[in-house]
């Protein structure tokens, strides 16, 4: 017994070092496996508060480009509205039963208060949290395209798994042919993303538009992603397809969070189908 | 004694704020972000009692991890250089006994200080980037990042130490 106590006293610094290093490596390994990083993230009140204070200083300098983006989006939405008016005045109008009409998606705006893009696994921090009914696995977009998926949530802040993250896998499709694929990032360029799992029957050309597929319960169908930058077709299958993003991921200000009101229903149905 | 605690606390907070608000967003050549927050580990007074030093270094790294959403990467690396600081210093200075209370990084010769700071920085950065990429096939990227970020960090650390610490 005395020997053990002597041993512990003699090597107490080393034992403390080993203990703390194990804790740190435990957090690191937890962080690398996507669904389980719960403790160390910037969605807490201290880090979130400091980031939102700092961003309110720098925000002023982005006002011009942010205004430009907003007016672009407004013009686009107004054009869509005008087209709707024309449609509804035509004689081939479908009657929508207002009693059965339902809303599927709900949008909430948020501000990016921390943005990283130079690491192989990037996260963003936004200033909305569980108090504003934000929970995990909600899609985050802006007018130019997909930004990421909400990962951790605290009472006032949330972290977002950016599309510039090797763990991010988002279902997308070709706009003109509806062939589905998956979007991942190889960690190299911040405005180029990779498209995988495209069936070889699909005809992919440079300049084709890529939109979200809507197969998952996170993003609605048809949100913009980017255009095909180059295609590598070898041995009768697609080796590598690069997508040029519409978004500049290095400068994003305000975003929208998409809440799918039918998410529970869809997931429950899919689960029961799989379990049978 | 109280002055020592005060100055180290202020340095801790300032270095973290500078690191997360300014230096993490530099992205020189697209990917280089220096990490001179480890200057805190270099400047912490050398004592025989290392318990509080180890715990505080761990806390320094962990705070940075909270800010940059990186698991326990910085905590692991900072704790490691805190642990090897004294052995490395004895090797660099070829001395076995120190005047623990009077030791000052500015007191030793400049070339030896550079070797000491560079070694600790390179070890720290190598651990950080190995854990960030976490993949042996990325070894070239890891070494490349370690080398260039270390150069950047060493320059900033030396500038910071010479400008903001007293010779005596």
């Amino acid at each position: 017994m005395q020997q053990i106590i002597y041993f512990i006293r003699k090597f107490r610094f080393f034992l403390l070092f080993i203990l703390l290093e194990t804790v740190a490596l435990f957090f690191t390994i937890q962080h690398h496996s996507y669904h389980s990083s719960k403790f160390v993230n910037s969605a807490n009140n201290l880090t979130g508060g400091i980031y939102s204070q700092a961003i309110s200083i720098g925000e002023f300098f982005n006002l011009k480009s942010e205004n430009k983006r907003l007016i672009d989006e407004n013009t686009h939405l107004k054009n869509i509205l005008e087209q709707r008016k024309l449609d509804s005045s035509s004689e081939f109008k479908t009657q929508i039963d207002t009693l059965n009409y339902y809303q599927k998606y709900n949008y909430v705006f948020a501000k990016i208060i921390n943005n990283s893009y130079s690491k192989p696994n990037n996260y963003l921090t936004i200033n909305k949290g569980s108090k504003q009914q934000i929970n995990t696995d909600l899609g985050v977009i802006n007018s130019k395209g997909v930004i990421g998926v909400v990962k951790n949530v605290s009472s006032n802040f949330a972290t977002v798994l950016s599309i510039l993250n090797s763990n991010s896998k988002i279902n997308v499709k070709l706009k003109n042919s509806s062939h589905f694929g998956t979007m991942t990032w190889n960690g190299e360029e911040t405005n180029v993303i990779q498209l995988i799992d495209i069936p070889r029957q699909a005809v992919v050309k440079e300049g084709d538009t890529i939109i979200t597929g809507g197969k998952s319960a996170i993003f609605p169908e048809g949100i913009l992603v980017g255009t095909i930058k180059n295609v590598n077709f070898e041995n009768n299958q697609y080796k590598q397809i690069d997508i040029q993003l519409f978004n500049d991921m290095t400068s994003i200000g305000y975003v929208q969070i998409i809440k799918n009101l039918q998410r529970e229903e869809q997931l429950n149905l899919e689960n029961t189908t799989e379990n049978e | 004694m109280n002055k020592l605690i005060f100055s180290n606390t202020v340095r801790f907070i300032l270095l973290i704020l500078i690191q997360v608000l300014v230096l993490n967003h530099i992205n020189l050549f697209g990917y280089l972000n220096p990490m001179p927050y480890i200057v805190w580990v270099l400047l912490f007074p050398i004592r025989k009692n290392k318990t509080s030093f180890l715990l505080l270094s761990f806390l320094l790294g962990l705070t940075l991890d909270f800010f940059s959403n990186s698991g326990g990467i910085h905590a692991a690396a900072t704790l490691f250089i805190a642990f090897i600081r004294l052995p490395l210093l004895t090797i660099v200075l070829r001395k076995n006994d120190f005047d623990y209370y009077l030791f000052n990084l500015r007191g030793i010769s400049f070339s030896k200080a550079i070797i000491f700071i560079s070694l600790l920085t390179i070890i720290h950065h190598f651990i950080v980037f190995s854990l960030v990429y976490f993949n042996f096939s990325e070894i070239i990227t890891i070494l490349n990042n370690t080398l260039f970020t270390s150069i950047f960090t060493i320059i900033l650390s030396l500038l910071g130490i010479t400008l903001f610490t007293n010779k005596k």
Side-chain angles (χ1 to χ4, degrees):
Chain A
M1 193 63 201
Q2 214 169 4
Q3 290 286 327
I4 297 172
I5 292 171
Y6 176 72
F7 175 81
I8 291 176
R9 282 189 64 131
K10 195 179 173 193
F11 290 102
R12 61 183 187 277
F13 301 127
F14 184 67
L15 289 174
L16 179 71
F17 166 71
I18 293 291
L19 178 77
L20 292 177
E21 196 74 61
T22 318
V23 173
L25 289 177
F26 171 73
F27 284 147
T28 310
I29 289 164
Q30 212 187 31
H31 166 75
H32 277 285
S33 51
Y34 167 35
H35 283 292
S36 61
S37 161
K38 286 279 171 272
F39 180 60
V40 182
N41 59 64
S42 64
N44 59 60
N45 275 328
L46 179 72
T47 53
I50 291 176
Y51 274 141
S52 51
Q53 283 296 321
I55 204 80
S56 63
I57 301 168
E59 198 181 19
F60 182 74
F61 301 101
N62 297 326
L63 277 180
K64 205 172 173 183
S65 61
E66 197 64 25
N67 272 335
K68 172 86 173 63
R69 199 182 59 74
L70 278 178
I71 200 77
D72 279 350
E73 188 181 11
N74 265 335
T75 318
H76 177 68
L77 292 176
K78 274 197 171 155
N79 279 330
I80 291 177
L81 262 183
E82 289 300 322
Q83 284 167 4
R84 295 278 301 200
K85 275 181 195 159
L86 193 71
D87 284 350
S88 59
S89 63
S90 76
E91 51 187 315
F92 306 108
K93 179 173 134 188
T94 7
Q95 287 290 339
I96 295 171
D97 187 351
T98 47
L99 277 180
N100 286 332
Y101 186 72
Y102 56 87
Q103 184 181 7
K104 189 172 177 187
Y105 296 103
N106 189 8
Y107 293 83
V108 182
F109 87 95
K111 189 163 79 179
I112 301 262
I113 55 173
N114 183 40
N115 181 12
S116 76
Y117 42 82
S118 57
K119 290 183 278 186
N121 291 314
N122 294 298
Y123 297 89
L124 315 159
T125 313
I126 55 175
N127 67 346
K128 288 272 163 82
S130 57
K131 275 187 184 166
Q132 288 84 24
Q133 276 83 45
I134 305 296
N135 37 22
T136 50
D137 288 336
L138 299 182
V140 178
I141 60 165
N142 71 2
S143 64
K144 286 182 183 170
V146 177
I147 306 276
V149 178
V150 175
K151 192 183 174 195
N152 294 101
V153 181
S154 74
S155 57
N156 287 311
F157 301 97
T159 53
V160 178
L161 184 84
S162 164
I163 51 171
L164 302 184
N165 188 312
S166 57
N167 292 320
S168 157
K169 287 186 171 48
I170 291 172
N171 171 257
V172 291
K173 68 176 188 180
L174 289 165
K175 195 181 180 185
N176 54 5
S177 67
S178 299
H179 283 290
F180 287 106
T182 308
M183 179 168 88
T184 59
W185 191 50
N186 62 4
E188 281 168 14
E189 285 174 78
T190 54
N191 52 359
V192 176
I193 218 161
Q194 277 66 43
L195 179 63
I196 55 168
D197 298 340
I198 276 274
R200 62 178 174 189
Q201 298 90 333
V203 185
V204 182
K205 289 195 297 288
E206 280 179 30
D208 281 359
T209 309
I210 301 288
I211 55 177
T212 55
K215 240 184 358 180
S216 71
I218 297 176
F219 290 105
E221 194 182 332
I223 290 182
L224 295 172
V225 176
T227 54
I228 301 282
K229 196 185 175 199
N230 53 47
V231 185
N232 190 356
F233 191 76
E234 270 176 29
N235 298 333
N236 248 343
Q237 54 188 345
Y238 288 107
K239 287 277 182 212
Q240 190 181 357
I241 306 176
D242 288 340
I243 308 174
Q244 177 83 40
L245 291 175
F246 290 127
N247 247 329
D248 179 6
M249 289 298 287
T250 60
S251 103
I252 34 183
Y254 285 88
V255 292
Q256 283 139 4
I257 305 162
I258 307 170
K259 288 160 79 173
N260 186 345
L261 304 175
Q262 295 167 6
R263 178 186 158 79
E264 291 292 307
E265 190 184 335
Q266 183 181 347
L267 290 184
N268 281 341
L269 186 67
E270 281 173 1
N271 274 339
T272 43
T273 318
E274 264 174 31
N275 291 340
E276 267 167 13
Chain B
M1 194 62 191
N2 275 328
K3 199 184 155 219
L4 217 60
I5 294 172
F6 177 74
S7 64
N8 274 295
T9 315
V10 170
R11 197 182 292 142
F12 190 101
I13 295 169
L14 276 183
L15 278 173
I16 282 190
L17 286 182
I18 293 172
Q19 181 68 43
V20 299
L21 296 181
V22 181
L23 298 173
N24 274 355
H25 302 281
I26 284 191
N27 294 314
L28 190 71
F29 309 125
Y31 64 97
L32 287 187
N33 289 322
M35 295 180 257
Y37 72 94
I38 53 169
V39 165
W40 189 85
V41 176
L42 302 172
L43 291 178
F44 195 82
I46 294 181
R47 298 266 172 66
K48 277 202 164 146
N49 184 355
K50 288 190 292 186
T51 314
S52 57
F53 177 52
L54 284 184
L55 284 171
L56 285 169
S57 303
F58 179 72
L59 192 69
L60 176 76
L62 200 65
T63 317
L64 214 74
D65 282 325
F66 270 108
F67 274 105
S68 49
N69 291 307
S70 50
I73 292 168
H74 292 283
T78 317
L79 183 70
F80 189 78
I81 59 162
F83 185 72
I84 64 160
R85 184 182 70 155
L86 192 57
L88 199 74
L89 200 59
T90 54
I91 293 170
V92 171
L93 294 180
R94 299 207 188 86
K95 235 187 225 178
N96 279 325
D97 51 331
F98 285 101
D99 195 349
Y100 283 105
Y101 288 96
L102 289 175
F103 178 78
N104 182 348
L105 202 59
R106 297 291 301 276
I108 64 180
S109 74
F110 191 63
S111 56
K112 278 178 176 166
I114 287 188
I115 293 172
F116 173 63
I117 292 170
S118 310
L119 278 174
L120 276 189
T121 311
I122 289 168
I123 293 168
H124 175 269
H125 285 19
F126 181 69
I127 298 174
V128 166
F129 287 115
S130 312
L131 292 177
V132 165
Y133 286 93
F134 218 58
N135 191 347
F136 194 72
S137 60
E138 301 270 7
I139 189 75
I140 303 293
T141 323
I142 294 172
L143 290 176
N144 180 40
N145 269 336
T146 307
L147 180 67
F148 290 108
T149 315
S150 296
I151 294 171
F152 202 178
T153 308
I154 291 165
I155 293 171
L156 278 185
S157 309
L158 286 174
L159 278 176
I161 291 173
T162 35
L163 286 176
F164 295 109
T165 57
N166 295 324
K167 188 111 185 172
K168 283 286 164 189

